[in-house]
Amino acid sequence: MQLNKHIAALCIGTFCLGVAELGIVPVLTAIANDFHVTIPQAGLYISAYAAGVCAGIVGLLAFGRNANLKTTLLVAACLIFCGNLGASLAQNDIMMLAARFVSGSPHGIFFALSAVVCERLAEPGKASRDVTLMVLGQTSANLVGVPLGSLIGLAVSWRLIFGFIAVLALLLILALTRWLPSMPPVVKKPLSNELTALKSWHPWFILSGVAIGSAGFYAYYSYADPIMATIAHLPAASMTLIMFLAGASMFIGNIVSAPLTKYYSDVALVCVGQTLIAIAVLGALFYSHIPWLAISSMSLAAFGYFFISGPMQALIIAGAGDAKVILAALGQIAYNGANAIGAFLGGEAIRHYGFANFSALPGSILSFISAIVFISLLLRYPRR
């Protein structure tokens, strides 16, 4: 199968964003030490990225609906470059927060518009395949980019992770310029037509479950590095292997989930995955002092989070009619806004109790609440 050049260009972008989002997790302690801040304060760098994602999506809905797609993607690529270059050169806490906000701002924009580009340029019947290929960049980031960044960051300097992303963003700009044709904006109905569908309780119920569950996962996962270092007492060098296991778990979760959608409803799969996350995070709270259980809990949570990613996206826009675009955007805000809140709550739990594994306390509570939300939805609509 030949990979079209425009898909290859978009894969570079999704790889950059995947490493930028989660590449900070295994080096969080090193960054905190360099800037002389606490682990909870360093957790705000993850929150700043997620807040940037939300701001970018709002900006796209407000100002980018009628812009040329190629131009908008090039602007997003420039933001990837500027944000990650700023992170690699940051000299203090404030500069790092600002750089992380900027580097997060193109995340939702790039993924949303890349899907539209793939759909437009695909051969008949190949749109879903092309979108899946585009997302391979992020999957590769979790499986290869983040562990490799951990290895380089811990062996030399965490700044090299963000510097590498900045260099790759320059390649992205060149690839988009050469391989992506100019594309007019998507013709949309007035925004008021899309807002009409939001008068129903149903989409808000689903979005609330998404937000609560995402906050629960990131309250715990954001602090995987200090948990492994200070609770499981694993050496720093082992974080490369641990991040590889997490990335492999995400990859397997995605692969396992896809064929099951033929036999089970999206809400049923989300119920199963969200329950797995809740159990894993609760296990991390009580058993992270046992190294193999600490790693197993993290891997199971990572598996569950990507197991539900596809069904969750489908559930968000199911039956949305004219509101698909705005619901997809609200879904991104629910995911990433909750990530920011989750990382903050996990940090606060660490600050209050004094131990890194207590980030899993709010994580497990929120994860179980999200599971209950979706189980109640399944009971109400058992065949949907």
Side-chain angles (χ1 to χ4, degrees):
M1 180 180 63
Q2 184 178 2
L3 187 65
N4 293 326
K5 289 183 176 179
H6 71 275
I7 298 177
L10 297 174
C11 278
I12 296 172
T14 56
F15 182 87
C16 287
L17 292 167
V19 179
E21 181 181 25
L22 294 180
I24 193 173
V25 171
V27 293
L28 193 66
T29 301
I31 297 174
N33 291 338
D34 276 7
F35 290 150
H36 305 290
V37 298
T38 64
I39 291 296
Q41 286 174 311
L44 294 179
Y45 304 145
I46 298 171
S47 298
Y49 186 96
V53 179
C54 297
I57 285 290
V58 172
L60 176 65
L61 288 174
F63 307 109
R65 288 162 58 88
N66 299 315
N68 184 286
L69 295 183
K70 179 176 180 177
T71 302
T72 307
L73 284 171
L74 281 169
V75 170
C78 290
L79 289 171
I80 295 173
F81 169 75
C82 293
N84 286 284
L85 180 64
S88 70
L89 300 175
Q91 298 300 308
N92 55 52
D93 181 57
I94 300 300
M95 291 176 67
M96 190 63 173
L97 284 170
R100 290 290 291 169
F101 181 87
V102 172
S103 60
S105 62
H107 189 109
I109 297 172
F110 196 93
F111 273 97
L113 296 188
S114 292
V116 174
V117 168
C118 288
E119 186 178 36
R120 280 194 178 187
L121 298 180
E123 299 172 10
K126 301 290 181 66
S128 295
R129 182 205 67 176
D130 286 0
V131 173
T132 301
L133 289 174
M134 177 269 293
V135 177
L136 274 178
Q138 185 182 33
T139 306
S140 301
N142 294 330
L143 190 61
V144 179
V146 174
L148 185 60
S150 170
L151 178 63
I152 296 172
L154 294 172
V156 186
S157 172
W158 59 264
R159 295 180 185 275
L160 291 180
I161 300 173
F162 302 107
F164 171 74
I165 300 171
V167 171
L168 205 55
L170 293 176
L171 179 61
L172 170 62
I173 293 169
L174 178 62
L176 290 175
T177 302
R178 292 176 60 87
W179 294 340
L180 191 66
S182 179
M183 301 182 70
V186 181
V187 178
K188 295 186 179 73
K189 296 180 180 181
L191 187 59
S192 57
N193 288 26
E194 298 181 45
L195 293 174
T196 302
L198 299 181
K199 294 180 180 179
S200 167
W201 66 270
H202 191 262
W204 293 109
F205 192 73
I206 293 172
L207 288 171
S208 67
V210 171
I212 295 169
S214 188
F217 175 77
Y218 274 93
Y220 157 66
Y221 191 77
S222 298
Y223 302 96
D225 176 33
I227 288 173
M228 298 301 168
T230 64
I231 306 300
H233 299 293
L234 291 166
S238 66
M239 281 306 296
T240 298
L241 178 59
I242 292 170
M243 285 295 105
F244 175 78
L245 290 174
S249 299
M250 294 173 182
F251 180 77
I252 294 169
N254 213 335
I255 289 180
V256 170
S257 173
L260 292 178
T261 58
K262 296 180 181 179
Y263 308 104
Y264 302 98
S265 67
D266 292 323
V267 68
L269 293 175
V270 170
C271 287
V272 172
Q274 191 60 58
T275 302
L276 286 177
I277 295 170
I279 293 170
V281 178
L282 185 63
L285 175 62
F286 292 106
Y287 298 108
S288 284
H289 62 284
I290 304 172
W292 72 269
L293 284 177
I295 296 172
S296 298
S297 296
M298 186 196 66
S299 298
L300 182 60
F303 172 90
Y305 195 67
F306 272 71
F307 178 86
I308 65 176
S309 60
M312 190 81 85
Q313 292 287 350
L315 195 61
I316 289 171
I317 62 174
D322 291 338
K324 278 185 170 59
V325 173
I326 194 167
L327 273 178
L330 288 175
Q332 286 289 326
I333 292 174
Y335 270 117
N336 292 282
N339 295 356
I341 295 170
F344 170 76
L345 291 176
E348 285 298 292
I350 294 173
R351 186 183 64 80
H352 181 75
Y353 291 102
F355 297 97
N357 60 310
F358 274 90
S359 65
L361 177 60
S364 58
I365 293 172
L366 292 170
S367 296
F368 274 111
I369 292 174
S370 178
I372 291 169
V373 168
F374 288 111
I375 289 171
S376 68
L377 192 65
L378 178 64
L379 294 175
R380 185 178 179 89
Y381 301 107
R383 292 182 176 84
R384 178 167 295 185

